[in-house]
Amino acid sequence: MSAKPSLEKRPEPGPGPGSGPGPDGPPLLELRDLHVGYGAIEALKGVDLEVRRGEVVALLGANGAGKSTTLKTVSGMLAPRSGEVLLHGERIDGITSHQLVRFGLGHVPEGRRVFGRMTVLENLHMGAYRLRRPDPADLERVFALFPRLHERRRQVAGTLSGGEQQMLAIGRALMGKPELLLLDEPSMGLAPLIVQQIFGILREINEQGTTLLLVEQNATQALQLADRGYVLETGELVMSGPAGELLSDPRIRAAYLGEHVEAEAEAEAEAGRG
Amino acid sequence: MKATTVSRGKGGGPDMSAAARLRATRWYQQPRWRRLAALLGTALLGAQVTGREGSSSDIFLALKENTTGTGMWIWLGGALLVWVLREFVSEQLAAGWAGVREGARAGASGPLGRGRELWRSLPWVRVAALTALAVFLVLLPLLVTRHWQQVLVDQIGIYVLLVIGLNVVVGWAGMLDLGFIAFFAIGAYSAAYWTGSLPVEPPVVLNNFLVIPVAVVTCLVAGVLLGAPTLRLRGDYLAIVTLGFHEMVYLAARNWRDTTGGTSGASVDRFEIDLGFWSYRWGLDPVPYYWLLLVVIALLIFLFLRLEHSRVGRAWTAIREDEVAAAATGVDTVRFKLLAFAIGASTSGVAGVIYASKLGFINSELFVLLFSILVLSYVIFGGMGSIPGVLLGAAILIWLPEAMRDQVPAQDRFMYLGALLVVMMIYRPQGLLPSRRRRRELEMAEEGAGGADSLGTSEGRRV
């Protein structure tokens, strides 16, 4: 076994990381009155959202609320019908996803999507594709964050467990030195213990200076990690605020954390009978 | 029997349950004699199909002739041998083979391992082997008969050029192209047009060698024109688009008689070098064409091998695995797919120019769909994505029907080819010499961890 990469000497990711939430200047990412649709269906009906440098922002909502649509629009996989996406105050909507990588946008797609037939190491090298030559310091950083990936670096990615694949997807995105990391449901289909582990690592990644925008159904986990949160419902923002407040908001607790559900069900049953 | 049908499904009981009946139909559940009977029956059928009179219209004569001929005894003997091997010796054979493989993996022990070790440790062994191969290839046409010289040039040489081009499209970028011969046709007609052989006059008459870059550019443009609007499609849909493109090109060549000559064709000038002090003209002798092809093929293989291990090759691999993830890591998927398509098209165009100049004559019937399918089957047979594999695949699949020319009835030759393809796809779907990654893909598909379709482009099945 080779020496484990040290946790201490870690490179600074991205061009201007670690400066913390700057009170002045434009936010790192800003969405202005964003409308996105598929055919006749309007998935986003005017979404305004901002992510400041160094923050963790969670985007919550039920199935079909438009969370993934929002993230896909930011990452360039979808083009908006109207509205603006601004990165560093500059419009980026309409730029395709492979070009956005160059502007410091890292994307962990929904369902992980690792290159199943490449090894872990090949996947990570692929993540640094835009850099022409992978930065060994980045590799060290990823292996320090995910020692599990170091153990399995010669293994074919398709044979990893779901949690390991999620780690690999995050690690692969980090290899491109992103300033803003977009994560689409990193907890999907994973055991609670693994989810906790991954969210712990996400916090570490954020503390190292990478800004995170996170789409989640697992509201408790997401809000425990996030600084701020937005709640989407059928394509519209219905709530936003500091994560702590959202976490204690009774409406959130009712809608996403399953409290009072029994009481409501009983009430509905009563109504049905009456 | 009636009792069985009445009482079944009552859960247990003396009659066969549904599960037991299903199990009883499985091959390995049969008694040995029944497996032998099935194999012998298959052999009888095989003897009928492949016998001298197998295709005779007089069915009784055919039955009599085929069951008394030597072919039947070969078939029956073969079936018996398979039965004995599978029933009684297969475990020992498997154990022996595992031992050989283990030895190869461990290194020094075992003949396979020793050979591989030697190959790795001594560079001069490699150089010597490659030099010997090169010398052999250069001298090959002088060692064979005139008939085989023609086969080497007209078929093996041309198709080898085609398969290394199609391998870029199918094997590396993972796009299913059924219209590859369309670009071959465009190359051939470019040669005819620019040498002034078609009914329409070109602005300037060019030497055949000068036509090659012109044909490359023409095919690049055609490939980009076809590819740009359609490469967003995946797998099966792209295959249909290329099929349509092939038919368009073929029908244009066939029906646009005033320009292309249609089915009656046009004669094309042959290659010629004139340097003033020295000139050479390629004539009817196939051997000089062979050397010309050898140079072109060697050059292209060198270029493509470089490409495979470059950033471009990695981008293709990523696209083949998962287009969305490739785009998320910064790969311009459309551009790289277009690049693969254009490289394939222009290689096909070069082959077309050489083919037309060698034959000295072209007509539309040289570019029917069958040839597109054949090129694709050579690529798959040899091992998609592996250059040595596709070369071997093309060589073997072209050699085989030619070698059988005197052994079997002429109309049966392609039947054997089809049977070989069927057997190959069942027992060795990764091809003769698969690339490392392709082998991995199939192993994973067997473990249920990846898509089993050989192209790996249908993302719907993976999600």
Side-chain angles (χ1 to χ4, degrees), chain A residues 12 49 52 62 83 93-94 96 98 113 119 122 154 162 172 176 178 186 216 233 259:
Chain A
E12 297 263 289
L49 178 155
R52 286 183 226 111
D93 50 85
T96 50
H98 71 267
R113 288 184 173 271
T119 64
E122 285 171 327
R154 306 239 176 267
R172 185 180 64 190
E216 258 303 337
E233 231 166 67
E259 287 179 20

Side-chain angles (χ1 to χ4, degrees), chain A:
Chain A
M1 204 52 204
S2 61
K4 250 169 94 177
S6 80
L7 282 157
E8 272 69 49
K9 47 169 192 177
R10 229 175 250 142
E12 297 263 289
S19 45
D24 309 317
L28 182 56
L29 178 78
E30 196 178 355
L31 312 185
R32 284 189 195 152
D33 195 29
L34 201 63
H35 289 259
V36 184
Y38 306 92
I41 302 157
E42 195 167 32
L44 292 186
K45 303 161 185 163
V47 170
D48 293 273
L49 178 155
E50 62 173 52
V51 181
R52 286 183 226 111
R53 197 184 299 278
E55 267 189 324
V56 179
V57 173
L59 192 55
L60 308 173
N63 279 333
K67 308 181 302 281
S68 286
T69 306
T70 311
L71 212 62
K72 279 181 182 165
T73 313
V74 173
S75 69
M77 286 158 72
L78 292 173
R81 279 194 181 151
S82 66
E84 298 175 358
V85 182
L86 298 107
L87 189 72
H88 295 297
E90 238 186 299
R91 280 189 70 166
I92 58 161
D93 50 85
I95 299 180
T96 50
S97 40
H98 71 267
Q99 289 164 323
L100 280 174
V101 177
R102 267 189 270 153
F103 296 98
L105 217 66
H107 187 200
V108 182
E110 192 175 1
R112 310 188 263 273
R113 288 184 173 271
V114 294
F115 298 116
R117 292 122 181 194
M118 296 189 193
T119 64
V120 168
L121 207 57
E122 285 171 327
N123 263 279
L124 292 176
H125 284 172
M126 209 52 223
Y129 187 80
R130 75 173 183 108
L131 304 173
R132 301 205 152 259
R133 190 171 280 279
D135 187 340
D138 281 333
L139 203 60
E140 221 170 273
R141 172 179 177 224
V142 169
F143 283 148
L145 286 166
F146 304 104
R148 203 53 178 277
L149 294 184
H150 186 257
E151 283 167 32
R152 317 222 146 171
R153 63 195 182 282
R154 306 239 176 267
Q155 196 173 322
V156 177
T159 61
L160 298 177
S161 73
E164 289 163 345
Q165 288 193 11
Q166 187 62 59
M167 293 176 190
L168 181 55
I170 297 171
R172 185 180 64 190
L174 287 179
M175 290 298 291
K177 294 182 184 293
E179 196 179 351
L180 172 63
L181 194 58
L182 308 171
L183 297 126
D184 201 340
E185 301 239 13
S187 75
M188 195 163 68
L190 301 182
L193 206 64
I194 307 284
V195 173
Q196 265 187 1
Q197 199 183 340
I198 285 182
F199 274 71
I201 296 168
L202 287 179
R203 181 182 299 280
E204 213 174 314
I205 291 170
N206 176 245
E207 280 162 4
Q208 290 171 14
T210 309
T211 311
L212 305 181
L213 174 58
L214 178 74
V215 155
E216 258 303 337
Q217 292 213 39
N218 189 338
T220 334
Q221 281 288 352
L223 287 174
Q224 276 169 7
L225 171 71
D227 299 309
R228 291 188 304 114
Y230 291 87
V231 181
L232 267 174
E233 231 166 67
T234 58
E236 281 169 298
L237 284 178
V238 291
M239 227 184 283
S240 66
E245 276 176 35
L246 287 180
L247 201 52
S248 55
D249 190 293
R251 285 172 295 172
I252 297 281
R253 300 191 75 83
Y256 299 109
L257 305 183
E259 287 179 20
H260 309 303
V261 171
E262 282 170 34
E264 271 170 33
E266 271 168 34
E268 263 172 41
E270 287 291 322
R273 248 175 258 141

Side-chain angles (χ1 to χ4, degrees), chain B residues 328-364:
Chain B
T329 54
V331 175
D332 188 343
T333 52
V334 173
R335 205 182 61 156
F336 280 110
K337 282 165 81 176
L338 207 52
L339 182 69
F341 210 65
I343 288 175
S346 48
T347 311
S348 191
V350 173
V353 174
I354 298 176
Y355 189 60
S357 308
K358 157 70 177 68
L359 282 192
F361 170 82
I362 54 170
N363 72 6
S364 59

Side-chain angles (χ1 to χ4, degrees), chain B residues 282-433:
Chain B
W282 272 257
L284 287 171
D285 184 12
V287 178
Y289 295 98
Y290 174 86
W291 286 323
L292 177 69
L293 269 168
L294 202 60
V295 170
V296 174
I297 289 168
L299 196 71
L300 282 178
I301 287 177
F302 174 73
L303 285 177
F304 287 179
L305 280 177
R306 305 268 323 208
L307 210 55
E308 186 189 4
H309 299 290
S310 69
R311 269 169 67 79
V312 178
R314 283 203 299 147
W316 283 334
T317 309
I319 289 170
R320 208 175 66 218
E321 299 244 325
D322 190 326
E323 274 198 64
V324 174
T329 54
V331 175
D332 188 343
T333 52
V334 173
R335 205 182 61 156
F336 280 110
K337 282 165 81 176
L338 207 52
L339 182 69
F341 210 65
I343 288 175
S346 48
T347 311
S348 191
V350 173
V353 174
I354 298 176
Y355 189 60
S357 308
K358 157 70 177 68
L359 282 192
F361 170 82
I362 54 170
N363 72 6
S364 59
E365 301 314 296
L366 296 173
F367 309 108
V368 291
L369 184 63
L370 174 69
F371 297 122
S372 281
I373 311 283
L374 280 180
V375 181
L376 187 64
S377 61
Y378 299 158
V379 169
I380 293 171
F381 182 85
M384 275 186 284
S386 135
I387 286 187
V390 297
L391 296 182
L392 197 64
I396 288 181
L397 284 191
I398 297 166
W399 166 80
L400 197 68
E402 285 302 322
M404 285 192 307
R405 194 177 275 278
D406 302 324
Q407 322 299 327
V408 299
Q411 66 268 42
D412 281 6
R413 284 187 297 147
F414 277 88
M415 180 183 75
Y416 288 99
L417 199 67
L420 178 65
L421 285 176
V422 169
V423 170
M424 185 74 179
M425 287 304 103
I426 292 173
Y427 290 104
R428 200 173 163 83
Q430 68 270 44
L432 285 177
L433 289 177

Side-chain angles (χ1 to χ4, degrees), chain B residues 3 10 30 55 87 133 155 221 229 245 261 288 298 338 347 412 436:
Chain B
K10 293 280 182 225
Q30 310 293 328
S55 50
E87 299 290 331
L133 182 69
Q155 302 200 40
V221 171
F245 177 68
L338 207 52
T347 311
D412 281 6
R436 192 171 53 96

